[in-house]
Amino acid sequence: MDLFKELREVRILLIDDDKWVRDSMAMFFEGEGCHVSVCETAEEGLEALLNQDYHTIIVDYLLPGMDGLEFFRIIAESHESVSKVLITAYGNQN
């Protein structure tokens, strides 16, 4: 199995409202040979899913409008075989 050959076939949808996070993660995955589509909102992500199939979807938890959990609830049945990753930079300040 050639992992790098397989990575060149992976399509990732990345949804994050933080431009720095979007750009840096996209640069990393593209550097590994993945095809990455980026969106700023979950609503844009839903639109992207109408036009393209993805192997992995990475979504920020806190987004303007719909949050990442609600996004995953909406696509749960229609994209059940897609790998899903929820990320957040939000922490507890205790």
Side-chain angles (χ1 to χ4, degrees):
M1 175 172 88
D2 183 357
L3 177 61
F4 294 106
K5 181 179 179 184
E6 287 187 31
L7 280 175
R8 287 188 287 275
E9 303 301 319
V10 172
R11 289 182 310 279
I12 298 173
L13 176 60
L14 172 62
I15 306 169
D16 199 304
D17 60 325
D18 184 308
K19 181 175 174 27
W20 186 87
V21 171
R22 275 194 324 271
D23 290 351
S24 61
M25 289 183 71
M27 190 178 348
F28 170 79
F29 286 115
E30 288 169 348
E32 295 299 321
C34 301
H35 303 280
V36 181
S37 298
V38 296
C39 297
E40 190 171 345
T41 67
E43 292 81 4
E44 290 176 12
L46 291 175
E47 284 289 319
L49 289 173
L50 296 174
N51 302 312
Q52 176 72 53
D53 291 326
Y54 295 94
H55 298 102
T56 303
I57 302 172
I58 303 170
V59 182
D60 187 16
Y61 172 63
L62 290 177
L63 294 168
M66 181 189 322
D67 69 28
L69 286 177
E70 183 61 23
F71 175 84
F72 281 150
R73 283 187 201 105
I74 289 172
I75 68 164
E77 289 185 28
S78 61
H79 294 82
E80 63 185 0
S81 65
V82 175
S83 298
K84 299 166 189 77
V85 179
L86 184 70
I87 61 173
T88 187
Y90 181 76
N92 188 337
Q93 299 297 320
N94 291 341

